[in-house]
Amino acid sequence: MESLNRRAACRLALCRAGLLKPEWSGFPVSGAGGGKRARLAAQKVIHGFGYLQLDTVAIAGARSHTIVLLSRLERIDPELGEDLLRPGEPLFEYWGHEASWMPMELYPAFEFRRREFLGCHPWWGNVVARNRAVARRLRARIRDEGPLRSVDMEGKGSSGWWDLKVAKRVALALWSSGELAIRERKNFQKTYDLAERVIPEEVRSQPLAKREALALLLLKALDGHGWALTGTLAQTWRLTNRKREIAATLERLAELGEVVPCQLDNPGGRPSLGWIRPRDLELAARLERVRPRMDRGVLLSPFDPLLWDRARVQRLFDFEQMLEIFKPAPKRKYGYYCLPVLAGERLVARFDLKADRDRGALKVLSGRFEGTGTARPASAADGEAARTALARYSSALGLEPTGWR
């Protein structure tokens, strides 16, 4: 059984998430130049961990998918984060970890999911069969009139010629089963089209069998995490209720030498049993000799690939990652939509931010440091990291930070 200590696993996670120097991570660091160069840099970031999770909340001045790009790419236009999915680009939108933009080469790996959604959507059951007339009209309208925005589904008249809520559900179900595809997003608004007009024929014509698909997805998840528990690998793609299949796939990959079982040392208790790629064992050993700069901070989205698995964040970084959007304000511990501050290899603080575009301001509603639980940093380095993180983020958005020094 191979083993890693927490420092090695932590640095490996940062490396595979594109948050260490490019000579270690292989990620680009700048979107300078704009245009095609910036777009390619953003696509490389997404390719690095296989997905870019989408989220609607923009209170901090940008939505999560844009914040993820801003945390890795300097000198990038924030508007690019909203305009990545468009015709001709090597990305598609589908259910990955959540609704996500993913590299086009992963499209064949989700054939099993599209087939499962064909007769039963996980939220609404067989909504297409129950609303055949709506589905028939929707298909005909897109086929004959071209791509259709979800806001334009209401049809003629104030009440429409179908129930808008039902129409949107049917569209989502047809997208989930692969009959429709999301062609692009503008202002976060989806545009649906027939899949054959969005996904290239050479991609659609080579679907993977579930056995091969699971192997590909688990390896891609591990590439993005470095070291991970089986549960983390499964949840990267929402591979729920598949324990036996996942266990068998990992065993098969181990026999092929693609992965090795590896435990994370826990001085205070039982080690955590996970998986790692052989090449990452060697990389982790080299990363132990690296000393990331602690005074250069960066703000991370709460849905960052590094952060969505909260138990993993606690295990690797000893940091309580929380999302308190759905809590009543008096019950929140940190804030509505907190962005953690990464300083080197440590998560040292979190800011609850609110953008005020009319005033050109980025309001700091609260700032809390690890180690003190207050607005006072535990060290000068932590304070400097928080200042540089806030300055970099606000500058990228063209806003002036207010309410914290």
Side-chain angles (χ1 to χ4, degrees):
M1 175 69 70
E2 301 288 351
S3 65
L4 288 180
N5 60 42
R6 193 174 79 169
R7 170 174 286 185
C10 172
R11 291 180 178 179
L12 180 61
L14 292 169
C15 183
R16 288 307 184 205
L19 292 165
L20 287 186
K21 291 181 178 180
E23 54 264 36
W24 293 101
S25 70
F27 277 56
V29 295
S30 174
K36 186 175 182 179
R37 182 176 298 179
R39 190 169 289 274
L40 286 173
Q43 290 166 3
K44 287 181 180 178
V45 169
I46 297 173
H47 191 275
F49 31 78
Y51 61 94
L52 184 60
Q53 180 180 335
L54 304 177
D55 189 70
T56 61
V57 179
I59 190 171
R63 295 184 177 91
S64 175
H65 40 286
T66 296
I67 298 172
V68 170
L69 297 177
L70 292 177
S71 65
R72 287 147 173 92
L73 299 173
E74 296 183 355
R75 300 171 65 188
I76 190 170
D77 185 347
E79 293 300 318
L80 177 62
E82 298 294 331
D83 188 41
L84 278 177
L85 187 71
R86 64 184 192 183
E89 296 295 342
L91 299 173
F92 73 102
E93 181 170 331
Y94 196 57
W95 300 116
H97 172 64
E98 298 286 353
S100 304
W101 291 336
M102 295 179 277
M104 190 65 77
E105 60 262 30
L106 288 183
Y107 187 87
F110 289 98
E111 179 65 14
F112 74 93
R113 179 161 290 166
R114 291 189 289 272
R115 286 181 179 274
E116 290 172 351
F117 284 157
L118 187 59
C120 186
H121 193 279
W123 300 337
W124 309 305
N126 201 341
V127 66
V128 175
R130 294 197 306 271
N131 298 276
R132 295 184 189 278
V134 172
R136 185 171 59 252
R137 292 172 185 169
L138 180 61
R139 291 185 183 106
R141 189 173 177 187
I142 293 176
R143 183 186 64 244
D144 299 338
E145 299 177 20
L148 180 66
R149 297 185 305 166
S150 56
V151 293
D152 295 329
M153 288 180 184
E154 196 165 352
K156 301 174 183 177
S158 59
S159 61
W161 43 274
W162 53 26
D163 184 293
L164 179 59
K165 183 182 292 185
V166 170
K168 287 188 175 182
R169 288 182 176 182
V170 169
L172 274 171
L174 293 175
W175 166 65
S176 298
S177 66
E179 187 172 343
L180 298 182
I182 295 174
R183 183 180 182 86
E184 61 184 335
R185 279 185 183 259
K186 289 186 178 179
N187 299 320
F188 208 63
Q189 183 65 230
K190 296 188 290 287
T191 298
Y192 290 99
D193 201 351
L194 302 178
E196 57 262 33
R197 298 201 295 230
V198 177
I199 310 300
E201 168 63 22
E202 62 270 21
V203 176
R204 288 187 294 109
S205 64
Q206 300 185 39
L208 290 179
K210 185 161 63 170
R211 175 185 169 97
E212 286 71 31
L214 290 178
L216 174 61
L217 292 174
L218 290 173
L219 287 175
K220 190 62 182 176
L222 198 52
D223 285 342
H225 294 301
W227 171 91
L229 299 175
T230 300
T232 298
L233 299 179
Q235 285 304 312
T236 302
W237 309 110
R238 282 291 190 264
L239 300 173
T240 56
N241 301 319
R242 303 178 192 274
K243 282 188 175 182
R244 290 184 179 179
E245 291 176 293
I246 290 170
T249 302
L250 288 169
E251 289 297 332
R252 190 169 72 252
L253 290 171
E255 291 173 2
L256 294 172
E258 295 280 0
V259 303
V260 293
C262 178
Q263 65 183 19
L264 180 67
D265 293 339
N266 179 11
R270 186 176 298 178
S272 301
L273 303 179
W275 300 89
I276 195 170
R277 299 274 251 167
R279 65 186 181 215
D280 280 345
L281 273 174
E282 300 173 9
L283 177 59
R286 298 200 303 274
L287 288 172
E288 282 204 81
R289 299 191 291 271
V290 175
R291 289 181 59 85
R293 285 190 60 170
M294 305 304 293
D295 58 340
R296 286 188 176 179
V298 61
L299 287 176
L300 300 180
S301 161
F303 300 111
D304 194 280
L306 190 73
L307 297 179
W308 57 256
D309 187 333
R310 297 172 195 174
R312 175 181 168 84
V313 175
Q314 187 74 55
R315 184 178 288 110
L316 295 185
F317 295 93
D318 194 24
F319 183 86
E320 183 183 32
Q321 169 61 7
M322 298 184 70
L323 185 66
E324 301 182 280
I325 289 176
F326 302 109
K327 288 184 180 180
K331 294 186 177 181
R332 293 176 194 144
K333 183 175 181 180
Y334 298 110
Y336 178 77
Y337 191 80
C338 286
L339 278 63
V341 177
L342 176 68
E345 62 188 315
R346 296 169 50 239
L347 293 165
V348 301
R350 66 194 88 205
F351 286 115
D352 188 20
L353 305 175
K354 184 177 183 179
D356 186 340
R357 292 285 182 183
D358 292 338
R359 292 183 170 84
L362 183 66
K363 298 179 181 179
V364 180
L365 303 180
S366 72
R368 298 273 292 275
F369 282 89
E370 295 295 289
T372 67
T374 69
R376 184 184 298 275
S379 68
D382 288 359
E384 181 62 19
R387 279 189 289 274
T388 59
L390 187 59
R392 171 177 167 171
Y393 180 71
S394 58
S395 175
L397 297 180
L399 301 174
E400 185 68 27
T402 62
W404 186 83
R405 289 185 178 276

